[in-house]
Amino acid sequence: MSARPMNIAAAFDPERVRRDFPILDQLVNGHPLVYLDNAATTQKPECVIEAISNYYRRDNANVHRGVHTLSDRATHAFEQARQTVADFLGSPRPEQLIWTSGTTAAINLVAYSWGRSTLQPGDRVLVSWLEHHSNIVPWQLVAEATGAEVLPIPVTDSGEIDLGALDSLLDARVKMVAVNHISNALGTVNPVQEIARRAKAAGALVLVDGAQSVAHWPIDVTALGCDFFVMSAHKLFGPTGIGVLWGRASLLDAMPPFLGGGEMIERVGFPTTTYNTVPFKFEAGTPNIAGAIGMAAAIDYLATIDREAAAEHEAALLARCLDLAGEVAGLRRVGTPAHAAGIFSFLLEGTHPSDVGMLLDQQGIAVRTGHHCAQPLMDRLGIPGTVRASFSIYNTQEDVTRLFEGIRKAKSLFS
Ligand code: PMP
């Protein structure tokens, strides 16, 4: 990211952004809500809530099949949403975007469709120790079915992917390298462009799990150099139950369907059925139309935000957290990656993460505790879990102050 003059960062106004998110204006357990669980899901601006509600109030109909006006409107809005997401991710063509119910479903789609049709006994899929379970288990399932193996790429004690270890794992057996862009447990920003370069030089495909990165900075899938990119709308100020798989056109064309049903067919008959073209080949059944419209509204909303300034604001929140953490005896940040975004994961000596989480909740502060669906990483670090505070564009320095007041109070109750 290019350096920007300080005055531009200072011009970013999270208080103004907060006003767009009605849910933030409430008391929780008698205290003004401090929402620091953005890595789990982000809150929704009024315009997203309105777009979904307006769709159901005015345009609701099934897509692609109807001849009537409402169906036309719904189809137009749905396909326009695909174009919006395509532009947002830098996809050369909207057909390269397949609607899924989210990141998990998108990874499963690739694992089942590409994996089951391609992987052979002895082939390898590499994932890192930093992965969310959704970027591990689908590969293990496909490995069981095909005789391929899933191997973890080692991470360092600071919580970064060990690129030297990746190099020593890369050989002709490796057919897929699947890594996240930002670790949801530690906030590590992985050098996915470099990982993609090395993996592709060794002849492997690359899947980037962008669940955590899309909300923090603009993404260009072409520049990343990956073959597949997956994300969920709900971590990007959009609704739950919708996300996308972006894929390289030649791969998507060659991949067999994953789910069968309406919409994904060209002609159904006995004994044979032929399939629709991409993206419809992978979109069996009635899609989440309102979800797609809500996701596009979230992207339109983001277009009104200076994203570079927003990223600097979030970085400033994390930097202040790290400063304040140094002042609390017994507080240990988990993972010390050189490049982290949006996430502060920690342990408080003599306490269990879930107790700290509950005490923070009593003060109106929402954080996540536990293994964060990253049990292999917790095993690797030798801990049961962490307390995780995760930041978004509407968090303020006051939120960080409240978090540390809460941590100090929790600590005093335990000592
Ligand atoms: N990958 C990462 C890095 C995540 O943070 C998450 C959500 N915590 C997922 C995958 C799964 O996303 P979803 O539950 O929206 O499918």
Side-chain angles (χ1 to χ4, degrees):
M1 189 170 297
S2 61
R4 286 172 67 93
M6 282 307 287
N7 61 337
I8 293 183
F12 179 78
D13 182 4
E15 291 294 349
R16 197 200 60 70
V17 175
R18 282 180 83 76
R19 290 197 284 277
D20 296 331
F21 292 79
I23 201 171
L24 296 174
D25 184 21
Q26 65 173 297
L27 297 181
V28 167
N29 296 323
H31 302 270
L33 169 65
V34 173
Y35 185 77
L36 295 176
D37 196 16
N38 295 289
T41 199
T42 53
Q43 299 301 350
K44 321 306 170 199
E46 188 71 54
C47 58
V48 167
I49 300 167
E50 280 284 299
I52 295 168
S53 148
N54 285 341
Y55 165 72
Y56 281 124
R57 283 171 197 281
R58 299 198 299 241
D59 302 327
N60 177 52
N62 213 328
V63 288
H64 298 143
R65 282 170 284 241
V67 289
H68 57 84
T69 304
L70 291 192
S71 176
D72 253 8
R73 274 196 230 147
T75 303
H76 181 262
F78 181 67
E79 290 304 329
Q80 185 56 45
R82 196 190 306 268
Q83 180 70 57
T84 301
V85 182
D87 294 343
F88 178 71
L89 293 179
S91 172
R93 293 191 300 126
E95 295 80 17
Q96 289 172 260
L97 279 151
I98 291 146
W99 297 114
T100 67
S101 63
T103 302
T104 303
I107 297 172
N108 275 279
L109 196 166
V110 178
Y112 277 82
S113 171
W114 172 84
R116 285 192 184 227
S117 61
T118 309
L119 293 173
Q120 305 280 331
D123 284 347
R124 290 181 162 181
V125 172
L126 303 185
V127 298
S128 84
W129 281 94
L130 284 174
E131 297 315 306
H132 188 280
H133 296 163
S134 63
N135 199 20
I136 299 175
V137 185
W139 300 114
Q140 289 177 326
L141 289 170
V142 78
E144 253 175 55
T146 58
E149 282 180 289
V150 180
L151 296 184
I153 309 164
V155 296
T156 62
D157 290 340
S158 58
E160 293 166 307
I161 291 178
D162 182 337
L163 291 179
L166 168 67
D167 284 341
S168 43
L169 283 168
L170 283 172
D171 62 26
R173 288 172 294 183
V174 178
K175 299 294 187 276
M176 170 65 78
V177 176
V179 289
N180 61 44
H181 202 171
I182 298 183
S183 153
N184 66 302
L186 306 182
T188 312
V189 179
N190 290 313
V192 285
Q193 225 166 340
E194 179 58 22
I195 290 170
R197 196 187 62 71
R198 294 182 192 208
K200 296 201 67 80
L205 297 183
V206 175
L207 179 144
V208 172
D209 169 356
Q212 292 296 334
S213 58
V214 281
H216 294 300
W217 52 69
I219 300 292
D220 181 337
V221 285
T222 314
L224 288 183
C226 56
D227 298 287
F228 299 105
F229 185 91
V230 296
M231 61 168 287
S232 302
H234 71 95
K235 296 187 196 274
L236 184 76
F237 316 109
T240 52
I242 185 89
V244 292
L245 163 66
W246 175 86
R248 219 172 263 291
S250 56
L251 288 167
L252 294 175
D253 284 339
M255 280 158 53
F258 167 38
L259 299 174
E263 194 74 24
M264 53 73 71
I265 52 91
E266 179 192 56
R267 178 86 183 81
V268 178
F270 296 111
T272 41
T273 286
T274 52
Y275 307 123
N276 208 336
T277 49
V278 170
F280 308 113
K281 177 171 78 171
F282 296 112
E283 295 180 353
T286 299
N288 183 352
I289 306 161
I293 289 167
M295 181 173 184
I299 290 172
D300 288 344
Y301 173 74
L302 269 177
T304 68
I305 304 257
D306 178 342
R307 299 204 67 196
E308 211 171 324
E312 285 182 19
H313 167 70
E314 289 175 354
L317 297 178
L318 182 58
R320 176 123 183 283
C321 253
L322 302 187
D323 281 352
L324 292 176
E327 295 168 12
V328 181
L331 188 155
R332 174 163 76 87
R333 180 186 179 202
V334 177
T336 50
H339 193 189
I343 287 171
F344 173 57
S345 234
F346 66 95
L347 287 169
L348 202 52
E349 199 175 31
T351 67
H352 192 275
S354 60
D355 293 334
V356 176
M358 264 157 41
L359 288 168
L360 290 174
D361 181 53
Q362 283 171 12
Q363 301 168 68
I365 302 162
V367 295
R368 187 59 160 262
T369 63
H371 55 63
H372 314 299
C373 296
Q375 281 174 340
L377 178 64
M378 298 299 131
D379 291 346
R380 161 69 183 81
L381 299 174
I383 53 176
T386 76
V387 184
R388 181 188 73 186
S390 50
F391 300 99
S392 188
I393 51 177
Y394 39 65
N395 290 121
T396 61
Q397 291 287 354
E398 170 63 16
D399 290 345
V400 179
T401 304
R402 288 268 313 277
L403 171 67
F404 276 83
E405 282 168 6
I407 291 172
R408 285 204 172 82
K409 186 157 180 200
K411 189 170 176 266
S412 70
L413 292 173
F414 280 104
S415 49

